[in-house]
Amino acid sequence: MRPLLHRQKELDLITGALDAVRHGAGGGSVVVVTGGLGMGKTALLRALPALAERRGMRVVTASGAVHERDFGFGVLGQLLTPVLPGTAIAPPGDCAGPSAGSEHDGELLALVAEHSARTPLLMLVDDLQWADAPSLRWLGRLAGRVAELRVTLVVTLREGDPGEDGPQLHQLAEQASRVLRLRPLPPEGTADLVGAHAGRPVDPAYAQACHELTGGHPLLLTATLDALAGAGEGAADDIRAIHEARPAALHERFAVVLRDQPMPVREFATALSVLGDGADEELTGRLAGLDDTGRTEAVRVLRRLGLLAEGPVPRFVHPVVGDAVEEAMTPGEAESIRVHAALLLHQGGHPAERAAAQLLAAASCHEGWTLDVLRAAASAAQRRSAPDTAARYLRRALLGCSPEGPDRAELLVELASIERDFAPRAALRHFAQALLLFPDTDQRALVAGRIPPFLLDGCPPATIDTVVRTAAELGDAARLTGTARRHALRLEARLRHAALAGPGELAGCADRLRALGPAPCLDTAAERELVTVLLHGAAMAQQVTAAEAVPLAERLLQHEPAAPGHVHTALPLLTDILIASDSLGAIGPWLHTAYDRAGRENADVPRAVIAVELSHLALARGELTKARAYAGEALALDITDWATLQTLAAVVLAALEARDTALCERLLSGTREDTVQGYRPSLRRLIHGSAAALRDDLPTALDCFLDWGRTAERAHWRNPAIAPWRSWASALHYRMGRPDRAHDLMDEEYARALSWGSPVAIGRAQRGRGAITEGARGIGLLRESAATLERTVNALERARTSLLLGRRLLAAGREREAEHRLTRAREEGLACGAPWIAERAGRALHGIAGSQGADAVAALTRTERRVAGLAARGASNKAIAERLEVSSRAVEKHLTHAYRKLRIDGRTGLAAMARLLSDETGPVRP
């Protein structure tokens, strides 16, 4: 049995009444304990027998039951049979008349008085509100004479019960010496009860969470604790579990209590469960169909029952009360009241989302006003950055629309425009449906212009045909004005971007761009999108130079706000242009601003696409670790569920550069190829080629790279700054003993890099030429590459050139310069996340250290040599300090000096020089 906590005041008052009976000839009293459901009345009663028995009193108990009200003398029989065995508690025979009943009551009262004169009595009656009428009558007579008897009568009475205000109960309560109303436990009482339940002290935060949820209501508190047995350490999971708990044992308890209430009380509770906690009392009453008087009485009863929490607005004391009310409704009742609630909220000017929430649960209502409510709610949800909720409202609105027509088409467009931020495939499906429903060309053009390019790549053929046909119906943008012109420009941009008009379109981008003039108009979003696509196409086909592309690209960037919505246009191509041009200063802050906004707006799709852009940017800076981190974030946002490999090109490049075979496999297994793959090279071939190269399958790798290159040439993807496939293929030719082919590819790569003009592309091509050129000429080319890349921020490309140049110099016997280059390669390789570069550079540096080791060791002081020698043999710093009788700090200082003089990183380097460092110090214990 649970301990009775924080009821000492009530126990003291009752104990006083018991003491008065024990010490006097009379002095009996009546104590009425009241309170709402589960407030601890029964628990208090159970604590009294032990107190009475210690005082030499006889204890008798009885309990009322709701289904036994018509069983005459039922409660009285429970109470008196133990005291008066063999006595007929009910009148004998057919003596049910008032006079006979009164005479019999008097006889029983006399017998009780006689018994109590010998032994004081404590009479306990629980749930008196359910006692039968004859028992209540007798107890009333007892209360009238109790002061003369050695009897203490303690009864409990649940507040809010329909029979609570009956005349007999009212009369008995008026004769009571004390009326004790039990209140909820205070916060410290809750903490004590939680601790008693757990059998140990609990975290204050956990106890506070219990009190906040249950309000100190003992029944709710104990049921919740029982449902969460084992919790209470204060961890965040435990506190969350408290708030999520819905004790099943209470559902039926509350349902039974409510079923016994008058209809107005039940209807008010139902209305409150539908409207939710904190609903306006007047509105709740209107939904329940109650006038002011009925509403006030219903609130009073529910509060007295303990089902409503204290406060100015009606609120269930625990969510489980509302659950019990809702479960008691039939589906038809629930549907009807929710539609009524939505209408009242709509007519009353309440926030649209409150009304829409009711309609979500009432799918059968298709009246005209519901569409306005749901659309307004969707707009509100969008403003608070809840796109998934907004989409739910519009999906519900679709249920009330005709299966065809412009109204449905407009709703589909609204829905798809929201879904593209978190459910792209659903968005594409709804865009496609809307396209088929709009008969007007301008309307279809508006829909097509809202389909993001990354979705257009994967569109079904029928949808693509509709977009192409719509663009043709619009005609030449030069002959159009206003909205029609903007539609035509945007569709031209989308079709060119996706190469849906055919492989030859890319080659015509430069001519189309020049036709727009030396300073194309960028006043509208459609114009900016088209110029972006044309500039990107011209850059891909190498029909402009980097110097020509950068000013226009940066001008475009200045006209566009850094918003997540740019991913639904062709503007991500700006990132590709600026990165290929080595112009990274402006795009970085712009992308980070858009990325942060996407996070705040819960726009997962824009966030994933921008993460891909940021991965590309990090790769252009040579920051492989960051590039992989952003790629991982995009994958964590499930981008492979809807994006094509072309959309993930930057992630593919990051995987190839990082030699991340696991990431490559994930990309291959999780993404789709574009529907127009025949017009563009397949990134899958690059991934397969890279994987083959890593496992030294050179013929397969070369075949993949050459095949990709041929397709790229046909598609006019000629810029080496985008994908340097010739460098990869040339290196493989050279390793396979085909230097002539290797040189042909690298000469073409270098010429194209010079034509484009970006330092990274030029420096990369110079390194490629130097790698396949022997002797001093090769070293010279590598020095040119290093000098070119020194002007860039790409640490990865610098590290690669430094490694190759250092190894060549080492082979040529130029150890001092080789050491400088290799050290730089090792440092930059580690910094940019390319450990294989650092490892190769380290191995070469160890070779230099070995040849120069004797001279370097000779430069050490005697103490430095002794310390280094002991460390080379595995002794710890502490062991060395004890052996040499110096401090550990001094050992660290000598080792640091030794590392610098020996040109090594640490203990790993010392191990290779252990023989040179040997001395006469003898063995040491590590």
Side-chain angles (χ1 to χ4, degrees):
M1 185 167 60
R2 298 187 190 279
L4 186 65
L5 301 173
H6 286 262
R7 298 299 187 204
Q8 194 58 48
K9 178 182 177 182
E10 291 81 1
L11 285 174
D12 289 345
L13 290 170
I14 297 173
T15 300
L18 297 179
D19 289 338
V21 168
R22 183 179 60 168
H23 297 305
S29 60
V30 176
V31 180
V32 178
V33 181
T34 71
L37 173 68
M39 205 54 68
K41 302 181 294 297
T42 300
L44 180 64
L45 232 57
R46 288 173 179 164
L48 299 180
L51 296 175
E53 288 168 359
R54 285 200 296 268
R55 289 166 172 77
M57 302 180 69
R58 177 76 181 274
V59 181
V60 291
T61 63
S63 178
V66 67
H67 300 300
E68 297 178 5
R69 286 174 173 172
D70 296 331
F71 184 66
F73 293 94
V75 168
L76 193 57
Q78 297 177 53
L79 200 62
L80 297 186
T81 297
V83 178
L84 306 174
T87 302
I89 304 303
D94 190 17
C95 299
S99 59
S102 178
E103 181 180 344
H104 184 71
D105 289 350
E107 293 173 359
L108 291 177
L109 198 56
L111 291 172
V112 168
E114 180 182 347
H115 186 281
S116 66
R118 298 189 302 272
T119 305
L121 279 177
L122 172 61
M123 309 180 81
L124 304 176
V125 182
D126 199 11
D127 287 324
L128 187 65
Q129 73 278 359
W130 292 332
D132 57 278
S135 296
L136 284 174
R137 184 184 68 220
W138 188 88
L139 290 171
R141 293 191 64 179
L142 173 65
R145 289 189 53 192
V146 74
E148 307 167 6
L149 307 174
R150 299 181 71 193
V151 174
T152 301
L153 175 63
V154 183
V155 301
T156 67
L157 183 62
R158 180 198 287 174
E159 295 178 349
D161 190 88
E164 173 194 13
D165 294 326
Q168 292 175 316
L169 283 174
H170 187 67
Q171 179 185 6
L172 191 150
E174 282 187 337
Q175 298 179 88
S177 307
R178 293 278 186 179
V179 177
L180 307 179
R181 187 169 191 270
L182 299 188
R183 309 287 298 179
L185 296 175
E188 59 271 21
T190 298
D192 290 343
L193 183 56
V194 175
H197 180 276
R200 64 183 185 281
V202 295
D203 188 280
Y206 182 78
Q208 179 63 26
C210 291
H211 188 76
E212 289 174 357
L213 183 72
T214 65
H217 193 296
L219 174 65
L220 291 171
L221 185 56
T222 54
T224 301
L225 294 174
D226 286 341
L228 297 174
E233 296 296 335
D237 289 344
D238 286 345
I239 293 175
R240 183 167 54 253
I242 278 288
H243 287 280
E244 294 174 353
R246 299 292 185 271
L250 295 180
H251 281 233
E252 183 62 25
R253 181 85 178 266
F254 289 137
V256 169
V257 169
L258 287 167
R259 276 201 300 269
D260 291 336
Q261 300 305 312
M263 182 62 73
V265 176
R266 298 202 305 270
E267 289 177 339
F268 187 90
T270 301
L272 183 59
S273 72
V274 168
L275 291 174
D277 283 345
D280 177 75
E281 184 177 317
E282 182 180 353
L283 176 64
T284 307
R286 289 179 60 198
L287 181 59
L290 302 176
D291 57 18
D292 291 347
T293 302
R295 181 186 75 240
T296 302
E297 176 62 14
V299 171
R300 185 189 74 83
V301 169
L302 289 170
R303 285 198 193 282
R304 288 179 65 77
L305 277 170
L307 298 183
L308 292 186
E310 297 296 330
V313 295
R315 180 174 63 86
F316 287 128
V317 71
H318 191 280
V320 76
V321 181
D323 295 343
V325 174
E326 287 196 40
E327 288 175 7
M329 289 189 283
T330 67
E333 290 170 342
E335 180 90 2
S336 176
I337 195 170
R338 289 195 178 279
V339 171
H340 190 198
L343 182 59
L344 288 178
L345 290 166
H346 174 57
Q347 292 174 339
H350 292 270
E353 284 200 76
R354 287 195 64 192
Q358 302 296 337
L359 292 174
L360 288 179
S364 65
C365 180
H366 304 314
E367 298 180 27
W369 60 270
T370 62
L371 183 59
D372 296 334
V373 169
L374 291 164
R375 293 178 96 162
S379 297
Q382 278 287 87
R383 288 193 295 272
R384 64 180 179 85
S385 301
D388 52 342
T389 302
R392 287 179 63 207
Y393 294 142
L394 292 181
R395 290 182 191 126
R396 168 62 179 83
L398 282 174
L399 295 177
C401 284
S402 60
E404 55 186 30
D407 287 345
R408 183 175 186 82
E410 289 174 4
L411 262 180
L412 285 167
V413 174
E414 285 183 50
L415 174 58
S417 298
I418 293 171
E419 287 175 327
R420 62 185 183 177
D421 276 350
F422 71 95
R425 288 191 175 182
L428 180 57
R429 184 170 62 253
H430 291 137
F431 276 133
Q433 292 171 4
L435 277 174
L436 298 176
L437 293 177
F438 278 124
D440 183 75
T441 300
D442 285 338
Q443 290 174 316
R444 278 188 277 112
L446 176 65
V447 177
R450 291 195 180 183
I451 302 176
F454 64 76
L455 285 182
L456 203 59
D457 276 357
C459 269
T463 302
I464 294 173
D465 291 344
T466 303
V467 175
V468 173
R469 186 176 70 254
T470 301
E473 291 173 1
L474 283 170
D476 188 355
R479 301 178 182 177
L480 302 172
T481 59
T483 302
R485 179 176 181 273
R486 289 194 293 274
H487 288 331
L489 291 173
R490 178 162 279 121
L491 289 193
E492 180 185 355
R494 299 298 169 88
L495 293 175
R496 285 182 180 273
H497 179 15
L500 297 178
E505 290 299 317
L506 192 64
C509 284
D511 292 338
R512 180 75 171 95
L513 182 61
R514 294 188 187 97
L516 297 177
C521 181
L522 304 179
D523 291 342
T524 67
E527 289 169 325
R528 295 192 290 273
E529 190 169 356
L530 177 60
V531 170
T532 298
V533 172
L534 295 176
L535 180 60
H536 182 264
M540 289 281 288
Q542 270 204 273
Q543 294 176 332
V544 294
T545 66
E548 293 169 337
V550 168
L552 183 52
E554 292 184 343
R555 185 171 158 234
L556 282 162
L557 198 63
Q558 291 169 1
H559 278 74
E560 282 292 335
H566 83 272
V567 306
H568 299 312
T569 71
L571 290 177
L573 295 179
L574 275 179
T575 302
D576 295 343
I577 297 168
L578 290 168
I579 287 174
S581 305
D582 294 348
S583 179
L584 311 181
I587 190 64
W590 192 91
L591 284 175
H592 280 291
T593 300
Y595 179 76
D596 292 342
R597 281 191 57 186
R600 291 194 301 271
E601 295 173 8
N602 296 317
D604 286 352
V605 169
R607 191 175 169 207
V609 175
I610 299 170
V612 171
E613 293 182 84
L614 287 170
S615 179
H616 196 184
L617 180 63
L619 194 61
R621 296 181 183 278
E623 299 170 340
L624 269 183
T625 302
K626 284 187 178 180
R628 294 175 69 187
Y630 281 120
E633 184 158 358
L635 295 175
L637 291 168
D638 298 323
I639 194 171
T640 55
D641 288 349
W642 46 266
T644 61
L645 269 179
Q646 190 57 45
T647 304
L648 295 173
V651 177
V652 172
L653 289 175
L656 298 181
E657 295 283 20
R659 305 183 173 197
D660 191 333
T661 55
L663 180 55
C664 287
E665 289 299 322
R666 185 172 178 184
L667 291 170
L668 287 174
S669 63
T671 53
R672 301 166 293 129
E673 283 286 15
D674 306 346
T675 57
V676 290
Q677 191 56 54
Y679 297 152
R680 291 186 297 216
S682 167
L683 290 175
R684 289 180 183 273
R685 295 294 284 167
L686 284 188
I687 296 175
H688 285 306
S690 178
L694 288 176
R695 63 176 183 267
D696 286 329
D697 183 359
L698 304 188
T700 299
L702 180 61
D703 182 62
C704 289
F705 292 149
L706 290 176
D707 180 61
W708 193 90
R710 285 189 291 269
T711 309
E713 283 296 305
R714 287 196 299 270
H716 299 278
W717 287 22
R718 295 173 176 171
N719 195 328
I722 305 297
W725 66 271
R726 290 179 182 80
S727 295
W728 304 333
S730 171
L732 292 173
H733 271 308
Y734 188 76
R735 290 175 63 187
M736 294 170 67
R738 304 167 186 168
D740 292 343
R741 296 183 186 180
H743 280 286
D744 288 344
L745 283 171
M746 281 316 306
D747 288 344
E748 186 176 0
E749 181 94 338
Y750 180 59
R752 291 194 177 188
L754 286 176
S755 175
W756 172 243
S758 69
V760 169
I762 294 171
R764 191 162 50 208
Q766 288 169 330
R767 182 180 67 243
R769 296 178 73 203
I772 60 175
T773 303
E774 304 291 343
R777 173 60 180 155
I779 292 176
L781 289 171
L782 292 174
R783 284 201 177 102
E784 290 176 10
S785 172
T788 301
L789 292 171
E790 199 63 40
R791 308 196 311 264
T792 74
V793 296
N794 197 318
L796 179 61
E797 296 295 352
R798 290 200 304 269
R800 282 176 168 151
T801 295
S802 293
L803 173 63
L804 187 54
L805 178 56
R807 293 168 74 175
R808 284 290 188 84
L809 290 168
L810 184 60
R814 302 175 188 178
E815 292 185 350
R816 184 176 298 276
E817 185 182 358
E819 182 181 12
H820 168 71
R821 296 291 183 180
L822 291 169
T823 300
R824 177 118 185 236
R826 182 179 59 189
E827 292 172 352
E828 290 193 320
L830 289 173
C832 68
W836 62 90
I837 293 178
E839 181 183 352
R840 292 176 182 177
R843 285 201 300 267
L845 284 169
H846 285 317
I848 296 175
S851 65
Q852 299 177 343
D855 293 338
V857 168
L860 299 179
T861 67
R862 182 170 173 9
T863 304
E864 288 169 353
R865 179 172 177 174
R866 294 186 72 194
V867 170
L870 292 169
R873 292 156 59 195
S876 68
N877 285 9
K878 182 179 178 181
I880 296 171
E882 292 175 353
R883 177 64 181 272
L884 302 182
E885 297 182 348
V886 297
S887 67
S888 294
R889 176 64 181 156
V891 171
E892 292 174 4
K893 181 178 179 181
H894 289 310
L895 282 175
T896 300
H897 292 165
Y899 295 155
R900 184 168 60 249
K901 292 178 181 180
L902 296 173
R903 298 184 180 89
I904 59 176
D905 288 332
R907 284 177 173 265
T908 303
L910 284 177
M913 307 181 74
R915 183 181 58 80
L916 295 173
L917 291 167
S918 62
D919 60 41
E920 69 284 358
T921 54
V924 294
R925 183 170 49 86

